[in-house]
Amino acid sequence: MLAHSSFRCPGMYGPGSRMTITPRSFTSLFLNKPGAVASEGGSTAAAAQTSQCAPQVCIPLFQRRYCWERAQLEGWWKDVLDGRRDVPQGHNVGKIIFKRLHERVGAHGFDTVGTAKEVLLCIDGQQRITTSQLLIAAFRDAALELARSLKVTSEAASRRAEAFADQLERVMHRDMTEFAAWRARTAAVLAKAGESADWGAVHPAGVSLAFSTLVPSFCDRQAFYEHLTLGRCRHDLLSMGTAAATAAASKVTTTSHGAASIQGQAKAFFDVAIQQYIERFLRVGASDASADRGVIAELERVAGRALSTMIVMFVEIHNEINLAQVFLWLQEKTLFGMGAILWNPTPGIDFHASDMARNLVMSAFMHLPMAEQEQLYRKLWLEPLELRHGGPVAMDKLLKAFTAVQDKEEERAWVAAHSGGTKATSTEDAECMPPPPSRASGDGDIVTAIPTAQEIAAKTVPRGSPRSQSAPDSGLSASGYKRYVGPNEVKVVQGLAAQNKKYTSKDMPPILVYAQFHSWYDLTIKRYTERAAAAGETIDVALFTKDVVVPKLAAFAATWDSEVSA
């Protein structure tokens, strides 16, 4: 059960709660095992040479996707260059909360077989971690570009630039041996293809790299890994010196998906920022060969600030805790706590309603291994919903329209309960509003603790209204209308039933209401398409993923619901 609007997060306060709280640099976080003593005064190179294979940092499914925009990126870059020393080790950039787990991680992400490895699950702080990794990738690419351009004029400077790039790779890749093997295989495949090389096929959607420091959430992986490895792979091909490899290198460019992604926009911002910084440095620097060595030294200095003087408050939770509860509490503090009304000089990105809904649904599966969570995430959320609309803003509009329908249903339930009966249904009514499937079909019986449609109806009367003492007939919605039940709604209910958990009456109705959203969404598209066809308009279903169509879809949903209920 998730507690809402709690002053203190359940499990993080009081008897039995245990946490490690310590300031750490990104060098310490990425290169050393948390809990080990980190040398904040050492250089990035020294830390990289002595680092052990640290646990992977994994972003859980209940986290929203990477979403930092230009304002946040500009603030981060400014802090790297000019951040004041407001803590003993450097500049404080906030807290990051972790929970140490043991998960099976294979070559292609979380797996159900193999040896379990220690991972750090990032409950809060993924935006800063991802941003830091993308910034380091931009420094690496700048160093590799310098290494190639200086190879003719200054061999020593070129070697120093390449060595600096290698040091930065240790920050982005926890297992350099596996990374080197992956580089060799990838370069061989691309070089063999030559002009036919397909860079877009190197990183399939949702697949993670077992040797990388960070495993983003499922939808962010493809774009993140593309930008993390593109510069290095291109450099490897150019270093081969063959005609085929050079031809393949010309094909190793940002894909359309990667360029349009938020990670791609962040990486492009840092690429430009670093290039402009180098140009300014050269304008005021020496004009002789020492400028070559000077610009590399300056890049090392600035990258060192990004890694060693940007300080996070590292928080590791040691006791058992409901991970989704922690994230929900952090969301609510952002939306409804004092942080929502006090002035914040460095605001982040606001949460969306769809973030809350996703967290609510996935909370029922957080006790499962990560591999099973990802399978359910794709089955219950990603494929039926997230990949079918234009992003969280578009989905929020549809959720708003859906909740408006739910409010009408609550009002109808109260009226029906106090009018002594239910309204007769017509053929069109039968397609409009059914109760959630309270018993699963197929193998096995649904958990008896999941409430029936009648039990749910008795608990969903309007706020401030007397609680209904009688429930509508089985097969009817709260107001007496039947409604459409789609296959995705059945999947959600069956998925919940398969967990064999004892849900309370407070747990289940919100999740089952979300399950109804699947059916409502499918029916809205169906009716919108039918009305458009009747008017002679051709509708491409793919357009429902575009922001331009979603407002029309949401407005239409309210219209046809009022037509049926009139």
Side-chain angles (χ1 to χ4, degrees):
M1 175 179 174
L2 296 179
H4 293 267
S5 303
S6 173
F7 178 73
R8 292 180 174 176
C9 180
M12 288 184 66
Y13 296 91
S17 61
R18 295 180 296 111
M19 289 180 284
T20 294
I21 304 176
T22 181
R24 299 178 73 92
S25 68
F26 284 106
T27 297
S28 173
L29 177 62
F30 295 146
L31 295 176
N32 299 93
K33 288 188 175 182
V37 177
S39 175
E40 304 295 349
S43 67
T44 303
Q49 296 298 330
T50 60
S51 66
Q52 300 179 35
C53 197
Q56 273 189 312
V57 175
C58 299
I59 309 300
L61 297 176
F62 56 77
Q63 283 267 28
R64 58 182 172 172
R65 298 175 66 175
Y66 182 71
C67 60
W68 267 20
E69 298 174 347
R70 188 178 182 88
Q72 288 73 39
L73 299 173
E74 288 177 344
W76 192 265
W77 179 243
K78 182 179 179 181
D79 283 349
V80 168
L81 298 179
D82 305 312
R84 67 185 186 278
R85 298 184 68 88
D86 46 12
V87 293
Q89 295 91 343
H91 177 62
N92 178 30
V93 293
K95 68 178 180 299
I96 301 181
I97 302 177
F98 295 101
K99 174 66 177 174
R100 195 181 301 265
L101 301 175
H102 286 82
E103 294 285 347
R104 291 184 172 89
V105 182
H108 302 295
F110 296 109
D111 209 338
T112 56
V113 296
T115 305
K117 299 179 180 179
E118 188 176 76
V119 301
L120 282 176
L121 203 69
C122 179
I123 301 173
D124 184 45
Q126 69 132 332
Q127 306 292 330
R128 278 157 287 181
I129 290 178
T130 305
T131 300
S132 181
Q133 287 276 308
L134 292 171
L135 174 58
I136 297 307
F139 276 118
R140 186 271 320 275
D141 290 350
L144 291 177
E145 185 68 33
L146 283 171
R148 292 193 298 271
S149 64
L150 296 174
K151 199 169 186 64
V152 177
T153 60
S154 177
E155 184 68 27
S158 176
R159 287 197 302 269
R160 178 173 177 176
E162 189 142 9
F164 173 50
D166 290 341
Q167 293 160 14
L168 294 176
E169 296 286 13
R170 296 177 182 274
V171 177
M172 297 181 287
H173 305 295
R174 58 189 290 273
D175 191 327
M176 291 299 292
T177 302
E178 287 295 322
F179 175 53
W182 179 87
R183 284 171 54 189
R185 291 193 303 270
T186 302
V189 170
L190 293 174
K192 183 177 180 180
E195 292 185 354
S196 302
D198 184 5
W199 171 247
V202 172
H203 295 293
V207 175
S208 66
L209 299 178
F211 51 78
S212 66
T213 299
L214 176 64
V215 179
S217 57
F218 185 87
C219 290
D220 281 346
R221 290 174 192 167
Q222 185 176 31
F224 175 78
Y225 288 128
E226 174 182 334
H227 294 291
L228 204 68
T229 59
L230 188 151
R232 172 57 74 178
C233 288
R234 186 170 184 272
H235 181 78
D236 288 345
L237 289 168
L238 291 172
S239 299
M240 288 182 175
T242 66
T246 302
S250 68
K251 302 297 182 180
V252 180
T253 57
T254 305
T255 64
S256 57
H257 168 75
S261 67
I262 303 297
Q263 297 95 324
Q265 295 170 30
K267 174 62 163 48
F269 170 84
F270 288 131
D271 286 338
V272 172
I274 292 173
Q275 184 59 39
Q276 291 175 344
Y277 187 86
I278 291 174
E279 292 172 356
R280 287 196 302 270
F281 178 83
L282 291 175
R283 281 199 299 269
V284 301
S287 59
D288 57 15
S290 64
D292 296 336
R293 296 189 299 272
V295 71
I296 298 170
E298 184 64 13
L299 276 183
E300 291 173 341
R301 186 189 70 82
V302 178
R305 285 185 59 87
L307 284 169
S308 296
T309 64
M310 299 282 276
I311 305 300
V312 296
M313 189 59 66
F314 176 90
V315 180
E316 181 183 349
I317 303 172
H318 296 292
N319 55 289
E320 292 301 317
I321 196 168
N322 185 330
L323 297 173
Q325 174 68 80
V326 176
F327 188 65
L328 174 65
W329 181 78
L330 293 168
Q331 286 178 314
E332 291 183 336
K333 285 299 179 184
T334 301
L335 294 170
F336 312 122
M338 291 298 292
I341 60 176
L342 296 177
W343 179 72
N344 183 358
T346 57
I349 303 295
D350 291 336
F351 287 102
H352 292 280
S354 55
D355 295 325
M356 306 286 278
R358 181 188 63 253
N359 182 43
L360 175 66
V361 175
M362 293 309 300
S363 67
F365 309 104
M366 290 304 297
H367 63 288
L368 299 175
M370 292 296 292
E372 295 182 39
Q373 289 186 40
E374 289 195 350
Q375 292 173 3
L376 289 165
Y377 171 64
R378 293 195 298 269
K379 178 181 177 181
L380 304 181
W381 178 274
L382 190 61
E383 293 170 358
L385 284 178
E386 188 166 323
L387 296 181
R388 297 172 64 189
H389 61 73
V393 174
M395 188 169 175
D396 282 0
K397 294 175 181 177
L398 292 172
L399 282 170
K400 182 177 180 180
F402 172 68
T403 54
V405 172
Q406 293 296 307
D407 288 342
K408 292 177 184 177
E409 276 296 288
E410 290 185 354
E411 294 174 4
R412 294 170 189 163
W414 191 86
V415 171
H418 289 77
S419 63
T422 60
K423 186 175 180 178
T425 62
S426 65
T427 302
E428 190 173 45
D429 293 339
E431 198 183 33
C432 183
M433 302 251 92
S438 57
R439 295 293 182 267
S441 59
D443 296 335
D445 294 327
I446 200 165
V447 179
T448 57
I450 295 182
T452 63
Q454 291 88 342
E455 291 169 335
I456 292 173
K459 295 179 174 63
T460 55
V461 294
R463 290 186 298 272
S465 301
R467 184 170 298 277
S468 172
Q469 298 302 314
S470 61
D473 295 334
S474 177
L476 299 177
S477 69
S479 62
Y481 290 95
K482 291 183 178 180
R483 72 167 171 85
Y484 167 77
V485 176
N488 289 318
E489 179 176 353
V490 176
K491 287 180 182 178
V492 174
V493 176
Q494 289 178 337
L496 292 169
Q499 302 315 306
N500 197 28
K501 292 183 69 178
K502 298 298 182 182
Y503 294 101
T504 68
S505 59
K506 290 184 179 180
D507 289 327
M508 287 308 300
I511 301 179
L512 291 178
V513 166
Y514 158 79
Q516 293 182 42
F517 176 70
H518 282 79
S519 299
W520 176 89
Y521 183 69
D522 290 337
L523 185 58
T524 300
I525 291 179
K526 177 177 179 290
R527 287 205 157 185
Y528 185 83
T529 305
E530 289 174 350
R531 296 289 177 89
E537 181 183 357
T538 301
I539 294 294
D540 183 358
V541 176
L543 289 176
F544 292 117
T545 65
K546 307 298 182 183
D547 286 333
V548 68
V549 173
V550 169
K552 297 180 181 179
L553 200 62
F556 169 77
T559 301
W560 70 252
D561 181 69
S562 62
E563 290 175 357
V564 173
S565 61

